[in-house]
């Protein structure tokens, strides 16, 4: 038993240090030798979850729950039920999470009030949070605050501040909401919460920043979460979540080529670990592909996002709009807007305005724009102000009110620059070019158009490049050369490219020689990198 005891001791110590992979290996080896007592088996289940072995983790922890319950350890069984409920909640399986919360409730109702009652109260509130009726969330926050003070439990105080902060934020009290969310992190930073619950609070705060389009705060909290993850050894679930948020920010900042492959890989790794964030990742992947002209790839990514529970709007409608299917685009974005609260609608409204104007529904576009302006006035974040100004200027230009549009666009551009939103900055310059052109200011229009085109080229936004550059492809490529280069960049051999394009391998070779000469490179690898940087993708 000497070896077994050493494995268990080493596993416990590694778990305490947050070295989840080592803890898993030691405890799993001990379990295979002689089985583990409930406490150590629970540690093994936790280590399995942290290292991405979600299915095994759930099987182990459920077994521990039944073992504790059968042994009469009611409090231990309730704690384990709450932990399992949290894991299912993080995965996005709310029905199963609710079932485990009910198991915990059934046990706790016969026990004296303690910290575990507070954890249950918080999990219940998270599962049933209704943005249209924030009263229950506020009531839960008040009860958690009282319970936390009485029991001197920092975790419950943190939960109280999270719920109160979210309620204030959703009510339009943005500063007060973020103040409470910031304060909620103090017990987390001090190690006052189990790491699984602490990580969930980090995620909630980052999502709150994303919801109101406050990218400055989102960057700050993503950095803070990354630093928190550094205390753990190896790659853990929350490291993957941080990568997705970091890649979302990189996409906004314009690093599309690097973000596209990384976000697809990271999103796939999070499937069944955190389907909420995995869905966000595949939606962002769809956006990158749409903006780079990869219609089929975008459609596939949006489909995967939907299967993970993420609504692929407004990107899917914008993809249909670009393909000329305006009726489907309008139907899709209108359906997505129906029944949503004002803040959830904000992310859709600018696209809805663009599609409405394309349908010549100017009054509807004006109504949607006013709705976005009202939301921006309530929540008052730079991102929402930028969206509202951008939408209003689009409506003004459609009505030939060019002089009125210019200062609105300039204000939106300032907000976008502060957010480091490269693509949106280019779109504003393109609108400024239209406004200057309409006002008879040809030189200013040319300058703004050139600025927009330069940014589109840097990003690799091929559809925008083609639209602004008179249909000319980057690098002076012909359409056929672009098709060959796109296939080669995707990894096709000369033979595969020839078969796909119904031409000979000799013709493919001749096209490649011309391509290398035009873009100034001499290898397939360099040509593939150039293609990605300039938005030359398979169509």
């Amino acid at each position: 038993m000497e070896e077994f005891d050493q494995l268990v001791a080493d596993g416990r110590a590694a778990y305490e240090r947050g070295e989840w992979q080592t803890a898993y290996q030691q405890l799993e080896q001990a379990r295979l030798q002689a089985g583990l007592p409930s406490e150590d088996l629970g540690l093994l289940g936790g280590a399995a979850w942290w290292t991405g072995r979600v299915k095994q983790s759930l099987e182990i922890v459920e077994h521990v729950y039944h073992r504790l319950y059968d042994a009469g350890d009611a409090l231990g069984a309730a704690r384990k039920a709450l932990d399992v409920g949290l894991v299912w909640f993080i995965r996005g399986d709310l029905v199963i999470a609710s079932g485990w919360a009910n198991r915990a409730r059934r046990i706790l109702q016969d026990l004296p009030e303690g910290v575990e009652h507070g954890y249950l109260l918080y999990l219940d509130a998270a599962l049933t949070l209704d943005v249209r009726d924030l009263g229950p969330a506020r009531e839960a926050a008040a009860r958690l605050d009282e319970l936390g003070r009485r029991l001197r439990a920092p975790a419950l105080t943190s939960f109280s501040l999270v719920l109160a902060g979210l309620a204030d934020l959703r009510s339009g009290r943005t500063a007060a909401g973020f103040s409470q969310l910031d304060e909620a992190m103090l017990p987390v930073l001090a190690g006052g919460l189990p790491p699984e619950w602490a990580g969930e609070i980090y995620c909630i705060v980052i999502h709150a920043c994303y919801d109101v389009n406050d990218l400055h705060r989102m960057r700050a909290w993503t950095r803070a979460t990354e630093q928190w993850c550094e205390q753990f050894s190896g790659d853990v679930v929350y490291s993957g979540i941080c990568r997705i948020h970091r890649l979302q920010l990189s996409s906004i900042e314009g690093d599309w080529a690097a973000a596209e492959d990384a976000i697809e890989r990271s999103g796939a790794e999070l499937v069944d670990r955190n389907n909420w964030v995995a869905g966000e990742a595949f939606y962002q992947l769809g956006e990158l592909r749409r903006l780079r002209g990869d219609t089929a790839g975008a459609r596939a990514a949006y489909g995967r996002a939907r299967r993970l529970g993420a609504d692929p709007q407004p990107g899917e409608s914008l993809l249909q709009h670009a393909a000329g299917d305006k009726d489907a685009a309008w139907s899709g974005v209108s359906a997505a807007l129906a029944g949503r609260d004002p803040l959830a609608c904000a992310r859709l409204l600018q696209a809805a305005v663009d599609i409405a104007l394309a349908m010549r529904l100017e009054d509807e576009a004006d109504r949607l724009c006013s709705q976005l302006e009202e939301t921006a006035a309530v929540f008052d974040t730079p991102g929402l102000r930028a969206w509202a100004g951008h939408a209003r200027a689009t409506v003004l230009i459609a009505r030939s009110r060019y002089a009125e549009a210019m200062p609105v666009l300039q204000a939106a551009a300032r907000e976008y620059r502060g957010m480091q939103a490269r693509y949106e900055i280019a779109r504003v310059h393109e609108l400024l070019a239209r406004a200057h052109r309409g006002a008879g200011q040809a030189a200013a229009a040319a300058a703004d158009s050139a600025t927009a085109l330069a940014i589109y080229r840097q990003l690799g936004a091929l559809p925008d490049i083609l639209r602004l550059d008179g249909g000319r492809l980057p690098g002076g490529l012909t359409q056929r050369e672009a098709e060959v280069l796109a296939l080669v960049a995707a990894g096709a051999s000369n033979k595969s490219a020839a078969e796909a394009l119904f031409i000979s391998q000799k013709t493919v070779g001749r096209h490649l020689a011309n391509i290398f000469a035009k873009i100034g490179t001499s290898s397939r690898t360099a040509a593939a990198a150039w293609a990605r940087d300039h938005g030359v993708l398979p169509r």
Side-chain angles (χ1 to χ4, degrees):
M1 292 293 291
E2 218 173 281
E3 183 185 356
F4 173 84
D5 292 340
Q6 189 61 53
L7 286 170
V8 171
D10 290 345
R12 290 171 181 168
Y15 195 97
E16 186 67 26
R17 294 191 302 269
E19 295 176 2
W20 312 115
Q21 187 63 39
T22 301
Y24 174 83
Q25 291 169 347
Q26 300 295 319
L27 291 169
E28 175 67 357
Q29 193 174 342
R31 182 182 72 86
L32 293 173
Q33 281 191 12
L36 289 170
S38 297
E39 183 178 353
D40 294 318
L41 192 59
L43 296 182
L44 175 61
W49 182 79
W50 279 96
T51 54
R53 299 171 173 90
V54 178
K55 184 179 179 182
Q56 183 187 16
S57 171
L58 289 167
E59 290 172 353
I60 290 171
V61 178
E62 184 166 354
H63 179 67
V64 173
Y65 162 79
H66 287 295
R67 188 189 282 185
L68 293 169
Y69 186 80
D70 292 343
D73 184 354
L75 190 59
R79 287 173 181 160
K80 202 55 61 181
L82 290 166
D83 288 342
V84 178
L86 176 69
V87 171
W88 283 106
F89 175 71
I90 291 170
R91 284 187 55 162
D93 292 298
L94 302 189
V95 173
I96 299 177
S98 180
W100 279 99
N102 287 333
R103 278 184 170 175
R105 184 179 359 269
R106 190 177 67 249
I107 297 169
L108 290 172
Q109 68 186 2
D110 297 325
L111 298 177
E113 191 172 55
V115 172
E116 290 73 21
H117 291 78
Y119 276 79
L120 174 62
L121 186 59
Y122 175 73
L123 185 58
D124 277 342
L127 284 165
T128 59
L129 185 63
D130 184 352
V131 297
R132 296 175 188 81
D133 180 11
L134 294 167
R138 294 191 188 281
E139 290 173 14
R143 289 176 60 195
L144 280 164
D145 180 59
E146 185 277 327
L147 194 59
R149 292 176 187 277
R150 178 155 50 84
L151 299 177
R152 297 186 179 182
L156 304 191
T157 302
S158 183
F159 292 152
S160 167
L161 289 164
V162 167
L163 293 176
L166 288 176
D168 276 350
L169 198 63
R170 284 285 179 173
S171 301
R173 300 180 62 226
T174 309
F178 274 126
S179 176
Q180 290 180 95
L181 290 173
D182 289 347
E183 188 180 348
M185 297 307 300
L186 296 179
V188 174
L189 295 170
L193 276 79
E196 297 87 347
W197 296 79
E200 179 58 18
I201 290 179
Y202 269 112
C203 289
I204 285 172
V205 173
I206 293 173
H207 275 284
C209 299
Y210 182 77
D211 284 344
V212 296
N213 202 25
D214 190 334
L215 299 186
H216 177 73
R217 282 183 177 274
M218 185 175 172
R219 285 187 182 93
W221 277 113
T222 298
R223 282 195 298 271
T225 310
E226 288 168 337
Q227 290 169 359
W228 176 75
C229 286
E230 287 173 2
Q231 68 182 295
F232 308 124
S233 175
D235 194 25
V236 296
V237 171
Y238 289 114
S239 301
I241 294 170
C242 281
R243 266 196 303 278
I244 297 299
H245 294 316
R246 176 62 61 199
L247 290 165
Q248 285 176 321
L249 292 166
S250 295
S251 300
I252 292 166
E253 292 159 10
D255 191 8
W256 290 1
E260 184 174 344
D261 289 341
I263 205 163
E264 181 175 22
R265 186 168 56 253
S266 297
E269 290 171 356
L270 279 181
V271 172
D272 288 335
R273 298 190 191 187
N274 188 315
N275 287 341
W276 306 101
V277 181
E280 285 183 19
F282 282 102
Y283 176 75
Q284 187 64 52
L285 178 64
E287 288 291 270
L288 288 170
R289 289 174 172 173
R290 175 178 68 82
L291 295 173
R292 300 187 76 184
D294 181 4
T295 301
R299 193 178 295 117
Y302 291 144
R304 193 157 187 195
R306 179 182 284 108
R307 290 192 294 276
L308 288 164
D311 185 0
Q313 291 289 356
E316 194 169 58
S317 284
L318 290 171
L319 191 68
Q320 293 166 328
H321 173 60
D325 194 351
K326 294 181 175 57
D327 289 333
W330 178 244
S331 175
V333 77
S334 297
L337 284 166
R340 294 198 184 200
D341 67 280
L343 185 56
C345 285
R347 197 166 290 277
L348 308 175
L349 286 170
Q350 192 185 100
V353 168
D354 288 340
I355 295 168
L357 289 173
M359 302 275 291
R360 298 186 179 179
L361 304 173
E362 287 192 9
D363 290 343
E364 184 66 10
D366 186 71
R367 183 189 69 79
L368 293 166
C369 184
S370 296
Q371 184 180 339
L372 181 52
E373 288 170 326
E374 290 167 8
T375 301
V378 170
F379 293 95
D380 197 30
T381 64
L384 289 173
R385 291 195 300 267
W387 285 348
H390 193 156
R392 175 54 64 193
T394 307
V395 172
L396 290 171
I397 290 171
R399 292 178 167 173
S400 302
R401 293 160 62 179
Y402 305 116
E404 291 178 63
M406 288 180 201
V408 178
L409 283 168
Q410 287 158 355
R414 285 193 295 273
E415 300 285 18
Y416 282 138
R417 280 193 287 271
M419 295 159 58
Q420 304 173 46
R422 294 282 289 157
Y423 182 73
E424 303 304 332
I425 292 168
R427 290 186 66 206
V428 166
H429 277 288
E430 188 176 349
L431 284 174
L432 277 168
R434 287 178 57 190
H436 282 124
R437 195 175 298 114
Q441 301 166 1
D448 279 313
S449 186
T451 299
L453 182 57
I455 297 173
Y456 288 145
R457 287 196 185 283
Q458 292 164 6
L459 294 172
L462 185 58
D464 297 296
I465 294 167
L466 294 175
R467 188 184 65 256
L468 276 195
D469 204 18
R472 289 176 294 180
L473 289 159
L477 300 177
T478 66
Q479 184 64 44
R480 180 60 89 190
E481 287 167 351
E483 290 168 348
V484 170
L485 177 57
L487 289 166
V488 168
S493 65
N494 283 18
K495 183 174 184 287
S496 298
E499 291 171 352
L501 299 173
F502 302 101
I503 57 179
S504 69
Q505 292 186 55
K506 185 177 179 180
T507 302
V508 170
R510 187 173 66 251
H511 282 314
L512 279 175
N514 292 336
I515 291 165
F516 290 167
K518 286 181 178 181
I519 68 176
T521 189
S522 59
S523 73
R524 298 170 78 95
T525 302
W530 187 94
R532 287 191 294 271
D533 290 344
H534 290 80
V536 180
L537 300 169
R539 300 304 295 269

